[in-house]
Amino acid sequence: MKLTVAKDYFNESIQHVSKAISSRTTLPILSGIKIDASFSGVTLTASDTDISIKSFIPAEHNQKQIINLEQKGSVVLPAKFLAEIIKKLPSDIIEIEVSPHFQTIIRSGSSEIQMVGLDPEEYPLLPDIEERKTITLASDLLKTMIRQTAFAVSANEATPVLTGVLWVLGDQFLKLIGCDRHRLAQRETRMETEPDAQFSNIVISGKTLYELNKILPDGNSLVNIVVSDNQVLFKMDRILFYSRILDGTYPDTSKLIPRSFQTEMVVNTRELVEAIDRAYLLSREEKTNIVKMVMIDQSTVEISSSSSELGKVTELIPVNSLTGELLKISFNSKYMLDALKVVDSEQIRIGFTGSMSPIIIRPEDGTPILQLILPYRTTN
């Protein structure tokens, strides 16, 4: 294999596929990036068996020559070193030459790097996905939906299915749900769907979705999502992102969501976030994260937290409206902040069905987001 490639394109592709490299792989070859060069362009592949990413660099883009190929071929090069060294090369053009025994020479400007390559034939094949169930979503909407749900997944590997986000494609809607038993985040969007494309128990690891979010382009470019029995493929312009589907049946979370409320409150999102954020500082020092909300009257609530060593924070904030019974309720301030910070609406509606029942948060602008937090029982 022998070619020259534009450094910025090559570096960008390496940064994309490197997100699939794991330091804990049991297969040594998976610590490398596979490079395939043909006359149409260069394809980079990386995988840790849970995630696999392919990035394609075209030979020509916008009438600009990106790659000059003298001899096609393949090689697997160590990912960590390759990612670091390519960024630091002095010239905008990189020359790559691979000998029959996969010894690789990389030249750029006055620099020459020799690397020990591995046989690409030993690299595992990527999953072959049948494109029967395919949906298309705008990239910016997909990024938003992931941001508003993936934070609520469980960090506890004892229940693997809860470390992922549930994807449900029903009649006219796509719904994403993250839940760790103490909180739930749900985001829905309307979508035209064919009956044979619908699915219900597709669970994708939260960590995987965070990596996908880093690669998804900004703006409304379209992403094709292909669902098979045990894999989901996200197809972008020049990137293929494969994710394994988590095993297990996701619990029915609909039973957690109250149908009606005995108390409802509408409040300015930013004012509530800032008040809880200040109370959180003290609750964090106490290592409990517990913050208390007391409804004083129909127009005022008190937010407070205390520490046996540092003292107490108390703050009154106005509410736009408060209907129903006045309550005192305690909750995990970090969970509350996580939930509020992904709501993009200026006003939020919070529903309560008692001081020990789930707290439900919805934006007032009608965006189909629902956040649920379980309250704490406190001694006082």
Side-chain angles (χ1 to χ4, degrees):
M1 179 171 110
K2 189 173 181 183
L3 59 90
T4 62
V5 58
K7 175 184 163 181
D8 52 352
Y9 281 82
F10 193 49
N11 180 52
E12 183 183 40
S13 273
I14 290 170
Q15 299 310 317
H16 285 329
V17 300
S18 292
K19 290 173 175 55
I21 298 289
S22 168
S23 56
R24 298 176 298 171
T25 181
T26 51
L27 285 172
I29 199 156
L30 289 184
S31 63
I33 293 172
K34 184 183 175 192
I35 302 170
D36 293 294
S38 69
F39 288 103
S40 61
V42 170
T43 302
L44 276 65
T45 307
S47 177
D48 70 353
T49 67
D50 285 338
I51 309 177
S52 302
I53 304 173
K54 261 188 174 183
S55 178
F56 178 69
I57 308 167
E60 203 176 281
H61 186 239
N62 290 341
Q63 299 181 324
K64 177 187 170 189
Q65 194 73 25
I66 309 300
I67 295 161
N68 281 304
L69 184 73
E70 280 188 45
Q71 187 182 351
K72 62 182 187 177
S74 302
V75 68
V76 178
L77 296 177
K80 195 174 177 189
F81 182 63
L82 186 68
E84 288 298 322
I85 198 72
I86 295 300
K87 278 192 288 193
K88 294 180 165 73
L89 289 176
S91 170
D92 291 339
I93 298 294
I94 296 167
E95 184 187 332
I96 303 169
E97 188 173 356
V98 182
S99 75
H101 298 294
F102 308 111
Q103 287 286 341
T104 302
I105 296 173
I106 297 174
R107 300 183 185 94
S108 174
S110 57
S111 299
E112 181 176 295
I113 295 104
Q114 296 191 20
M115 296 176 81
V116 179
L118 296 171
D119 185 352
E121 291 296 318
E122 293 175 18
Y123 201 87
L125 292 172
L126 292 194
D128 189 20
I129 292 187
E130 206 179 318
E131 299 201 11
R132 282 187 298 116
K133 293 185 176 180
T134 303
I135 58 172
T136 302
L137 211 57
S139 177
D140 50 2
L141 175 60
L142 180 55
K143 285 181 88 152
T144 300
M145 291 180 76
I146 292 170
R147 177 176 66 87
Q148 290 170 337
T149 53
F151 71 90
V153 304
S154 174
N156 187 348
E157 299 284 344
T159 315
V161 77
L162 289 182
T163 65
V165 172
L166 174 69
W167 294 57
V168 179
L169 183 68
D171 185 24
Q172 309 289 309
F173 73 89
L174 172 69
K175 185 189 292 180
L176 271 60
I177 299 171
C179 179
D180 69 358
R181 290 202 173 97
H182 304 287
R183 57 177 168 176
L184 177 147
Q186 177 177 295
R187 173 67 205 263
E188 202 171 306
T189 188
R190 286 190 58 77
M191 174 174 277
E192 296 296 323
T193 60
E194 298 294 328
D196 56 353
Q198 293 171 16
F199 50 77
S200 58
N201 192 54
I202 302 300
V203 185
I204 304 174
S205 158
K207 288 178 184 172
T208 296
L209 292 173
Y210 275 122
E211 295 304 333
L212 172 65
N213 242 18
K214 293 174 190 172
I215 290 175
L216 285 168
D218 293 322
N220 60 355
S221 58
L222 297 178
V223 180
N224 289 326
I225 304 167
V226 185
V227 177
S228 73
D229 293 337
N230 59 1
Q231 291 276 339
V232 177
L233 168 61
F234 297 87
K235 297 174 77 173
M236 290 156 263
D237 182 22
R238 296 201 300 268
I239 299 169
L240 300 179
F241 187 107
Y242 297 79
S243 168
R244 185 174 67 84
I245 294 170
L246 296 181
D247 296 328
T249 302
Y250 205 86
D252 180 6
T253 55
S254 63
K255 296 170 186 168
L256 297 170
I257 302 165
R259 294 274 174 257
S260 60
F261 304 104
Q262 70 183 58
T263 307
E264 281 193 276
M265 176 174 92
V266 177
V267 63
N268 180 283
T269 311
R270 187 173 58 82
E271 286 180 4
L272 185 60
V273 166
E274 289 175 355
I276 293 173
D277 208 5
R278 287 186 279 269
Y280 166 64
L281 291 175
L282 209 59
S283 67
R284 186 185 64 189
E285 289 296 320
E286 193 73 357
K287 298 185 171 55
T288 61
N289 287 346
I290 294 176
V291 163
K292 193 174 182 183
M293 177 186 284
V294 178
M295 298 171 193
I296 306 294
D297 54 35
Q298 266 63 36
S299 60
T300 314
V301 296
E302 179 188 275
I303 303 292
S304 66
S305 67
S306 59
S307 161
S308 53
E309 292 181 12
L310 293 173
K312 187 173 183 180
V313 170
T314 306
E315 190 160 342
L316 296 176
I317 61 166
V319 295
N320 296 0
S321 71
L322 198 159
T323 56
E325 189 182 325
L326 298 176
L327 294 173
K328 295 177 183 177
I329 195 161
S330 299
F331 51 82
N332 183 315
S333 51
K334 184 182 182 306
Y335 287 177
M336 183 65 84
L337 287 171
D338 286 347
L340 294 174
K341 283 177 179 176
V342 298
V343 175
D344 299 324
S345 170
E346 279 186 23
Q347 308 286 332
I348 48 161
R349 180 175 293 272
I350 309 178
F352 307 86
T353 48
S355 59
M356 285 314 300
S357 298
I359 304 166
I360 302 294
I361 302 160
R362 284 189 170 98
E364 272 288 86
D365 65 3
T367 307
I369 307 171
L370 181 146
Q371 304 282 354
L372 178 152
I373 295 167
L374 293 179
Y376 274 143
R377 187 184 300 278
T378 55
T379 49
N380 59 350

